[in-house]
Structure formats: C-alpha cells, structure tokens
Amino acid sequence: MAATTAPLTARTQVRSFALGLPGAVEEFPWEDDAVIKVNKKIFVFLGAEGNAETPGISVKLKDEEVHGHALAVPGAAPTGYGLGRSGWVSVPLTGESAPVELLCDWVEESYRTIAPKKLIAQLDAG
C-alpha cells in the first residue's frame, strides 16, 4: 500500500515561506505558539501547530491599502493586546481566508517592516 501525504496546510506553507526569508528564525515564547522573528523581533505570529479551533496568523501591515485589504478577509481583525494600533492584523486560516500566495505577500510585507535594511537588500538581491 502506497503512503499518502496530506496536502500542505496554509499554516505550513506560510511557515515555510517565512522561514525562507533572510535571517528568519522560529521561536516558541508561549508553549506551543510559534512566532517567526528577524533580528530578535517578531514579524509573524503563527499560533500553535494543529490548532483546528482558531487557526490563523498575525502580521504587521503598515501600507494602508494592504492593511485594509487584509481586514476585508472574513474573520480578520486588528490583533489584540494593543498590537492592532501598530498595524498588526490577525487573519484566520479557515473558511474564506485569503489564498496562500496573498498570505505570503503579507508575511513578506511584515518582514520588510521589521527586518534591518541589510537583510531586505539581501532579499531583493535573491
């Protein structure tokens, strides 16, 4: 019997993309909840692996048009704990979520907001 593999989840694809950015590292500051950092600063909150109840990501989007587009996704909202005031948006990964390519675009924008210029230059050169 041949082994079957489940399709990659949106979270898995976003995580893989984020970890492929220059200088990106994954950490678990709150038990199972993963974050991806660059230069010791978070640029994406991934939550816990296998969270079937409320899967989602949070990214920092400074561009007003992009920020508004992200907030238009059903279920999206400014991130709690006061982060929403700084441009953070939480986007669910269920139902009518944005396509993975768009989620990755938002992760890259969040990275560009947080990352040092030398790493952004490295990303642009790659």
Side-chain angles (χ1 to χ4, degrees), residues 11 46 51-57 91-94:
R11 182 191 183 280
L46 289 172
N51 177 357
E53 190 173 318
T54 57
I57 65 167
V91 181
L93 296 177
T94 59

Side-chain angles (χ1 to χ4, degrees), residues 11-91:
R11 182 191 183 280
T12 300
Q13 292 175 68
V14 167
R15 177 184 173 273
S16 178
F17 174 81
L19 288 172
L21 297 169
V25 295
E26 183 175 39
E27 293 185 8
F28 298 87
W30 306 283
E31 295 183 26
D32 294 333
D33 289 341
V35 298
I36 309 291
K37 293 182 173 183
V38 62
N39 202 32
K40 299 182 182 178
K41 295 181 182 178
I42 298 170
F43 69 94
V44 63
F45 290 89
L46 289 172
E49 177 73 41
N51 177 357
E53 190 173 318
T54 57
I57 65 167
S58 295
V59 290
K60 187 171 186 175
L61 303 172
K62 289 297 227 176
D63 181 284
E64 288 184 32
E65 184 177 331
V66 175
H67 188 266
H69 187 224
L71 285 173
V73 171
T79 303
Y81 306 104
L83 294 171
R85 290 190 303 263
S86 299
W88 285 89
V89 178
S90 294
V91 181

Side-chain angles (χ1 to χ4, degrees), residues 75-123:
T79 303
Y81 306 104
L83 294 171
R85 290 190 303 263
S86 299
W88 285 89
V89 178
S90 294
V91 181
L93 296 177
T94 59
E96 299 176 36
S97 184
V100 171
E101 296 79 21
L102 186 54
L103 293 169
C104 290
D105 286 348
W106 294 340
V107 167
E108 183 175 332
E109 178 170 333
S110 186
Y111 173 87
R112 289 176 179 277
T113 299
I114 305 294
K117 290 179 183 178
K118 67 178 184 169
L119 291 178
I120 294 171
Q122 188 178 343
L123 175 63

